[in-house]
Amino acid sequence: HDRQPVVTSSESERASERASEMATPVLYIKRGCPFCMKVMLFFAEIGISDKFEIQYDTEENRAMLEEQLGKAPTFPALKRDDEFLTESEDMIKLYAEENGVDRESLVAFNFYISSILPGYIRMVKHIGHPEAGKVISGEN
């Protein structure tokens, strides 16, 4: 007879406790930030948007991020456990790997990064915005 492993309530409770100890990742975003849109679109298209707490750029969040990062924050920023990621591409690579996602299969995400995002960057550079680098990186 094949015997199925029996999970005792204490084993089940310990597994539940471990899962609850892992904090919900917090994604800090800034309205109008094209790189925040890139990450949000990626998370939405692979179906994991609900796995994050979303926090917007506020004075309080900016002060906390600056203290934690030791520098002026850029957006998006992701706090996962006690670590921070501040590059959109690093966030996307991490979650693509963890979720077994082939980035080439993501129609909306690839449309955005191949046409809308580069167009936005060209526009900002073309108009000669005095702080184009900050606008593009999502800083002030």
Side-chain angles (χ1 to χ4, degrees):
H1 291 43
D2 289 332
R3 299 187 87 186
Q4 296 294 334
V6 175
V7 178
T8 65
S9 61
S10 61
E11 288 173 331
S12 177
E13 288 169 7
R14 283 198 302 273
S16 178
E17 286 172 13
R18 283 193 302 274
S20 67
E21 287 173 8
M22 295 181 67
T24 300
V26 181
L27 181 63
Y28 296 89
I29 58 174
K30 184 174 182 174
R31 288 176 182 12
C33 167
F35 297 99
C36 296
M37 179 63 190
K38 176 182 170 184
V39 170
M40 294 287 289
L41 185 57
F42 175 80
F43 289 165
E45 196 163 4
I46 69 169
I48 63 170
S49 295
D50 62 341
K51 306 288 187 220
F52 300 87
E53 175 186 338
I54 305 299
Q55 289 285 324
Y56 290 93
D57 177 23
T58 63
E59 287 183 33
E60 296 82 19
N61 284 339
R62 189 174 280 265
M64 181 279 302
L65 286 168
E66 187 165 352
E67 180 181 317
Q68 293 288 316
L69 299 171
K71 63 179 184 174
T74 57
F75 296 91
L78 176 68
K79 182 179 182 188
R80 186 172 134 139
D81 298 321
D82 290 329
E83 297 184 65
F84 281 89
L85 294 175
T86 57
E87 294 293 329
S88 61
E89 197 57 33
D90 292 343
M91 295 172 205
I92 290 165
K93 284 179 182 174
L94 174 69
Y95 284 95
E97 283 180 20
E98 286 185 357
N99 291 279
V101 172
D102 173 14
R103 291 171 55 153
E104 298 304 313
S105 70
L106 304 176
V107 176
F109 174 75
N110 284 298
F111 176 76
Y112 179 77
I113 65 170
S114 67
S115 62
I116 296 175
L117 181 60
Y120 176 83
I121 292 169
R122 282 192 307 274
M123 178 189 67
V124 170
K125 287 180 179 179
H126 177 74
I127 62 173
H129 192 286
E131 296 185 0
K134 286 184 179 181
V135 171
I136 292 169
S137 71
E139 293 179 24
N140 270 347

